[in-house]
Every structure is written in structure tokens, then in C-alpha cells.
Amino acid sequence: EVQLLESGGGLVQPGGSLRLSCVASGFTFSGYSMTWVRQAPGKGLEWVSTITDDGGTTYYPDSVKGRFAISRDNSKNTLYLQMNSLRAEDTAMYFCAKLRDDFWGQGTLVTVSS
Amino acid sequence: QAVVTQEPSLTVSPGGTVTLTCDSSTGAVTSGHSPYWFQQKPGQAPRTLIYDTTKKHSWTPARFSGSLLGGKAALILSGARPEDEADYYCLLSYSGVFWVFGGGTKLTVL
């Protein structure tokens, strides 16, 4: 059974940092690109970042470029999202996913507030 | 970056047919955008319904289909059921470098 388990969310002050983790099981994690998607409360989905299977290439939208960094440790079947210079508008549920295969975690909530 | 537009809300009668569309501000949507469609019910994570314009997962009900129509990506639901009431999101890939979700369509089956 495929599982994606996110962790690391919580309450952080504006300007602070947080690192999210997503532990994968049930599939060959090292063989696939992985993606972070977020959803602000009551809002739609937003693509946050994608990383290739070997971690060699990463992609970001302008809204997080330069502040967020995606990475992975294939030996630990774990995907990461380092989030720096957090803003109120980064408040959201963060999902890790392998979109093509319909592998989704249940999400971890990040709240940026003073 | 591109803006992807969906109908904010649609209503379909049980047993009826409805088409949800996904438009790109950069021009016609093509298979090169690898359109995805996701279904999300309240309090749940999204699920991938359709990928690469038309491809389905084993769990995707046969009443859902994906296509390109009039320069847009489309999700067609034929024979709507009450359990299809949900939010639907499309996702487009731009040269494999960045991806953009549409704003979502709230589908009511009534």
C-alpha cells in the first residue's frame, strides 16, 4: 500500500522558517519526481515545487522561488521542503504528492502568524 | 506566469452531463500541457482523476472523461451521481518547467 506521510507543520512567526518532511512507502520512491502542493484555508490548490527523481533538478513558481527549497533523500525515502522568510500568505495545508499516480499525503498544516 | 481559468461553479442534474473547462492565458491548451484533473471532497486530500489529457486511473469512474475542446482542456461527466459533488481542479504544465492549477470548479449535483 502506497503511503505518503507529511510532518513538520505548525505555527511560525512571519519571517521564520520551517522544514516539512514527507516519508514515502509502498513504491520505488527513488524512481519518480515528487511534488509539493498547498491549499490555503478555503482556497484552491497551488503548485509549490517539483523535484526530479535524482534530486538534480528543482522547479518553483515565482511565489516561493528564493524562499523555499525542495530536496530529497532517496536512501530514506523522504521528501523535504525547507521554507524560509515565511509570510502570512504561506499559511496553508501542504501536501506531498506524486500527481501522475494519484499518490497523495493527508497534508501538514502551516500557519504563519504573530 | 500563466493564469489558468475554470468555471467557478456549475450545477448538473442527477443523470445529466456537464463539461468543465480549463483555459490558459497563454493560448490554446494542447496535449503538450499534459492536462490533469483532480477531484477534492470536503476535508479530504485531492485525488487525481485524469492525467495527460485523457488517461484515467483504475479508480476513475467510467462516467468521467478528459479531452481537448475548443482550445481548452475539458472534463466531461456523463451520468452525474450525487457522489460526484465536489471541487474539481485542472493543472497545466508549461514546458515541464512550471505548473499552474486552475482556480477550481465547485460542482453541485442537484
Side-chain angles (χ1 to χ4, degrees):
Chain A
E1 180 192 5
V2 170
Q3 282 195 321
L4 295 172
L5 186 60
E6 302 98 335
S7 62
L11 175 64
V12 61
Q13 292 188 337
S17 299
L18 216 51
R19 188 176 84 153
L20 307 183
S21 299
C22 171
V23 178
S25 60
F27 68 103
T28 307
F29 178 75
S30 60
Y32 301 103
S33 296
M34 293 293 295
T35 293
W36 286 98
V37 173
R38 70 184 180 184
Q39 186 170 35
K43 303 297 184 182
L45 302 176
E46 181 184 10
W47 169 68
V48 173
S49 186
T50 295
I51 187 168
T52 53
D53 55 355
D54 64 355
T57 305
T58 58
Y59 306 97
Y60 307 92
D62 289 346
S63 58
V64 307
K65 194 176 295 183
R67 300 187 300 122
F68 289 12
I70 190 172
S71 63
R72 64 193 297 163
D73 185 338
N74 286 342
S75 69
K76 296 181 179 179
N77 286 351
T78 302
L79 178 71
Y80 301 101
L81 185 69
Q82 177 67 43
M83 304 186 296
N84 300 325
S85 303
L86 283 161
R87 306 166 180 168
E89 54 265 35
D90 296 317
T91 293
M93 185 71 77
Y94 285 73
F95 298 98
C96 71
K98 184 184 179 316
L99 300 177
R100 182 172 294 254
D101 290 292
D102 189 34
F103 299 165
W104 289 81
Q106 286 305 301
T108 186
L109 181 63
V110 172
T111 303
V112 184
S113 175
S114 54
Chain B
Q1 291 177 333
V3 175
V4 176
T5 303
Q6 298 180 242
E7 298 86 1
S9 64
L10 289 170
T11 299
V12 62
S13 299
T17 296
V18 64
T19 300
L20 288 66
T21 67
C22 178
D23 195 11
S24 172
S25 63
T26 63
V29 176
T30 70
S31 59
H33 290 94
S34 302
Y36 283 74
W37 290 94
F38 303 91
Q39 180 191 67
Q40 188 180 33
K41 296 183 177 180
Q44 297 182 17
R47 294 210 65 183
T48 310
L49 266 177
I50 301 282
Y51 64 99
D52 286 350
T53 309
T54 62
K55 297 178 181 176
K56 301 181 186 182
H57 287 288
S58 58
W59 74 272
T60 306
R63 60 185 179 275
F64 288 96
S65 62
S67 70
L68 297 175
L69 287 175
K72 300 178 184 181
L75 177 69
I76 301 149
L77 171 57
S78 303
R81 302 178 66 161
E83 59 263 36
D84 299 329
E85 190 161 293
D87 294 326
Y88 292 85
Y89 295 92
C90 68
L91 175 69
L92 300 181
S93 167
Y94 291 84
S95 303
V97 175
F98 69 91
W99 289 258
V100 182
F101 278 97
T105 296
K106 183 177 181 62
L107 182 66
T108 300
V109 181
L110 189 62

